[in-house]
Amino acid sequence: MNTSLMNDRALGAYLGFAIGDALGATVEFMTPGEIAAKYGSHCRIVGGGWLKLKAGEVTDDTEMTLCVGDAIINAGGWDVHAVCEGFSQWLRSVPADVGNTCRRGIRRYIHDGTVATPLNEGDAGNGACMRNLPVALATLNDPVAFRQWTLEQCHTTHNHPLSDAATLAIGRMVQRLVKGGGVSDCREEAQALIEAQPNFRFDRYNGLCTPFIVDTIRTVLHFYFLTDSVRSCIIETVNVGGDADTAGALAGMLSGATYGAKSIPASWLRTIDKRVVADIKEQVPALLKISNMHSAQSA
Ligand code: MN
Ligand code: MN
């Protein structure tokens, strides 16, 4: 496998994720009509939004993802307690935004030290799926570890079959792309997801992008397969509004893994929070290294 291509795609996924978050946060919870009236097509990272962000600032989506990455890198592998500790420290830092289900799960860990939340009908939000990229990057060659780490990661706060299925499917897409695959690989994974959980069908997309994992994933897949660049994929996705930062982040992750970091518009890279870029550039090679160690062990 061509390592420079792999690095470019892994970096593209992570940077695309943070950019989609920063761009989408401006229009989070707005309707397409409100966005069009205020921005035309919203395509510049200007901050603002209901969180009153600075231009380039990211939100909980990217912050929690970086927590997962840090925990994996510091443990040199999987340690779900380290992930929960990372989330707890992050919550104590009083972040600008925290999802309700995430907050509940982190509080449970702080209170009783348990690392998994029981199965809950109300847990089908997108909060676990949004932060799984480091797990995908650290288990590229080990599908058993990918599945186990992913489910444990998800269940720290969210325990729902729809969240689990989507997180596994999206993670497998990223892995196939980073390893040199293309859009057709994602088609296969999307088909398998829909066969297992028909709720995720997106062929008659209804324009609804809520924090419900089904709505988020349908939005992301609809625009991912409709567009042919990081720029178009992120812009089309965030202009639907609703949970625009999370959908934008996942759209940026998939398109970034498809078209590579080199294809990300320079104006976006210049504007996005410099500390976040530095953290991502540190995490990507470290996570890929853990991936290689794993395949060496299991080979
Ligand atoms: Mn967010
Ligand atoms: Mn969101």
Side-chain angles (χ1 to χ4, degrees):
M1 164 86 232
N2 178 336
T3 38
S4 79
L5 178 121
M6 204 162 104
N7 281 310
D8 185 59
R9 289 188 170 194
L11 192 61
Y14 221 142
L15 290 173
F17 184 93
I19 286 168
D21 181 8
L23 187 74
T26 304
V27 295
E28 191 182 20
F29 304 131
M30 290 172 74
T31 66
E34 288 167 350
I35 296 169
K38 191 159 179 195
Y39 300 100
S41 170
H42 172 56
C43 62
R44 289 185 305 126
I45 300 176
V46 292
W50 73 280
L51 292 170
K52 301 188 167 51
L53 300 168
K54 290 190 256 347
E57 210 176 327
V58 297
T59 76
D60 53 332
D61 307 64
T62 305
E63 289 165 353
M64 293 193 89
T65 304
L66 289 169
C67 283
V68 174
D70 263 336
I72 293 173
I73 292 162
N74 291 334
W78 187 242
D79 179 351
V80 69
H81 287 90
V83 173
C84 289
E85 275 304 316
F87 290 165
S88 304
Q89 275 180 30
W90 170 74
L91 188 64
R92 289 191 188 101
S93 76
V94 195
D97 189 23
V98 187
N100 290 333
T101 310
C102 290
R103 185 190 298 276
R104 196 183 341 119
I106 299 167
R107 284 219 174 123
R108 184 212 67 246
Y109 170 78
I110 293 173
H111 181 250
D112 67 12
T114 56
V115 295
T117 197
L119 189 68
N120 184 336
E121 275 307 315
D123 285 353
N126 58 26
C129 182
M130 76 183 185
R131 59 182 189 226
N132 203 50
L133 174 59
V135 170
L137 295 181
T139 58
L140 282 181
N141 306 306
D142 190 339
V144 175
F146 167 70
R147 186 183 168 81
Q148 185 216 324
W149 300 15
T150 293
L151 294 179
E152 288 188 14
Q153 187 286 106
C154 288
H155 295 175
T156 60
T157 58
H158 292 64
N159 189 346
H160 193 284
L162 291 171
S163 162
D164 291 351
T167 308
L168 289 166
I170 296 289
R172 288 192 192 106
M173 289 181 195
V174 170
Q175 292 188 323
R176 290 175 72 165
L177 292 167
V178 169
K179 291 198 282 184
V183 175
S184 61
D185 293 88
C186 294
R187 276 277 176 209
E188 279 180 27
E189 294 296 341
Q191 249 354 91
L193 172 66
I194 290 163
E195 268 161 39
Q197 301 277 7
N199 291 339
F200 287 102
R201 276 185 66 169
F202 57 94
D203 52 349
R204 272 172 294 169
Y205 176 60
N206 58 4
L208 196 65
C209 182
T210 75
F212 176 41
I213 187 67
V214 170
D215 291 339
T216 309
I217 295 301
R218 294 180 75 208
T219 302
V220 170
L221 293 180
H222 171 76
F223 288 114
Y224 171 72
F225 289 115
L226 205 67
T227 55
D228 60 1
S229 68
V230 176
R231 184 183 151 80
S232 57
C233 185
I234 293 179
I235 291 175
E236 295 286 331
T237 303
V238 300
N239 277 278
V240 174
D243 198 356
D245 62 331
T246 307
L250 293 172
M253 176 180 79
L254 283 184
S255 59
T258 307
Y259 308 108
K262 288 198 182 80
S263 77
I264 295 177
S267 59
W268 284 351
L269 283 174
R270 271 198 306 273
T271 318
I272 191 85
D273 188 329
K274 301 254 176 319
R275 281 166 309 172
V276 169
V277 173
D279 285 348
I280 289 172
K281 286 188 170 169
E282 223 175 275
Q283 285 200 4
V284 165
L287 292 166
L288 293 178
K289 197 171 149 197
I290 290 170
S291 232
N292 286 330
M293 278 159 41
H294 260 266
S295 58
Q297 277 166 9
S298 40

